Amino acid sequence: EVILTQSPATLSLSPGERATLSCRASQTVVSYLAWYQQKPGQAPRLLIYDASNRATGIPARFSGSGSGTDFTLTISSLEPEDFAVYYCQQRYNWPPITFGQGTRLEIK
Amino acid sequence: QVQLVESGGGVVQPGGSLRLSCAASGFTFNTFVLHWVRQAPGKGLEWVAYIKSDGSGAFYTDSVKGRFTISRDNSRNTLYLQMNSLRAEDTALYYCAKVVFQWQDGAFDIWGQGTMVTVSS
């Protein structure tokens, strides 16, 4: 099973700042990594698939990078609506499909 | 618009059964693989099961193998999850999820609103 480790667990930033979230895989997932945003009481929302492709309707301030075992989600300038929990997910070596434990992005 | 709507959740005693349904609309149902993903209260996301577009194959996470069965009715645009021998640790919000592309197996672009399953005596 591929273990995904996200860091930091919690990130405290202010609107307008740049956010950098990390996801590290226990073995290569090539580029088959996705990122999701989840707000309280809502289903997850796909942001990025295959490491760097923005999903439909996702603002350009969200970008993904990385390959192999190290991946990054960057939010270039935080908007108030971006404060949420973010998950990474791999679909290279499965079953099982696995998710990271999440990074909580909170307002400083 | 593309939509998934789950139903069938509820409170059940340990050892009991439930069948979840996921009604789909707005896309060509029989050309996409589908998944169930769950989220225990206050916890992260956990993948549960997958089914091929024609229903001919399925995969499960280890903790539900032999207890849960995923199926689909392409004539009714509906996905199912039959859950037997339920345990307290199965308590979660269960989501059905669609993948981004027909040729792809597992990045989820559309999620339902979830249906809550509570296993408790």
Side-chain angles (χ1 to χ4, degrees):
Chain A
E1 173 175 329
V2 178
I3 306 296
L4 298 178
T5 303
Q6 292 186 240
S7 61
T10 302
L11 185 58
S12 300
L13 293 170
S14 300
E17 290 192 291
R18 181 184 187 90
T20 303
L21 287 68
S22 175
C23 177
R24 177 163 289 177
S26 59
Q27 58 188 271
T28 184
V29 297
V30 189
S31 62
Y32 296 108
L33 189 105
W35 290 94
Y36 299 86
Q37 176 194 69
Q38 189 178 33
K39 297 179 181 179
Q42 296 185 16
R45 174 192 183 198
L46 178 66
L47 301 174
I48 301 288
Y49 65 93
D50 294 351
S52 61
N53 296 287
R54 264 191 308 276
T56 302
I58 301 304
R61 65 181 181 272
F62 291 91
S63 63
S65 63
S67 65
T69 60
D70 289 298
F71 300 86
T72 300
L73 174 70
T74 301
I75 311 172
S76 59
S77 178
L78 285 165
E79 298 288 341
E81 62 267 29
D82 298 337
F83 292 92
V85 179
Y86 292 82
Y87 294 96
C88 57
Q89 172 243 320
Q90 69 84 24
R91 66 174 185 92
Y92 176 64
N93 188 352
W94 74 285
I97 284 174
T98 51
F99 291 87
Q101 83 281 12
T103 289
R104 181 177 305 276
L105 179 55
E106 64 176 28
I107 298 177
K108 188 172 183 179
Chain B
Q1 76 278 25
V2 180
Q3 194 173 11
L4 298 171
V5 179
E6 302 96 336
S7 60
V11 180
V12 61
Q13 292 189 337
S17 298
L18 277 177
R19 188 175 85 153
L20 307 184
S21 299
C22 171
S25 59
F27 64 99
T28 310
F29 184 80
N30 63 3
T31 65
F32 284 86
V33 307
L34 293 168
H35 297 255
W36 288 97
V37 177
R38 67 185 178 184
Q39 187 169 34
K43 302 297 184 182
L45 301 168
E46 181 186 23
W47 172 78
V48 175
Y50 149 98
I51 189 166
K52 295 178 72 173
S53 57
D54 62 0
S56 63
F59 294 125
Y60 301 89
T61 194
D62 283 349
S63 63
V64 310
K65 280 180 187 174
R67 301 188 300 122
F68 289 12
T69 302
I70 188 172
S71 63
R72 62 192 296 163
D73 185 339
N74 285 347
S75 68
R76 295 177 182 267
N77 287 1
T78 303
L79 173 71
Y80 302 100
L81 187 68
Q82 177 66 44
M83 304 187 297
N84 299 330
S85 303
L86 282 160
R87 306 168 179 167
E89 54 266 34
D90 296 317
T91 295
L93 186 63
Y94 284 73
Y95 295 102
C96 56
K98 167 192 164 293
V99 298
V100 180
F101 301 113
Q102 287 99 324
W103 60 85
Q104 193 216 59
D105 48 23
F108 312 125
D109 65 336
I110 302 296
W111 299 63
Q113 84 288 353
T115 187
M116 187 68 201
V117 173
T118 302
V119 184
S120 174
S121 55

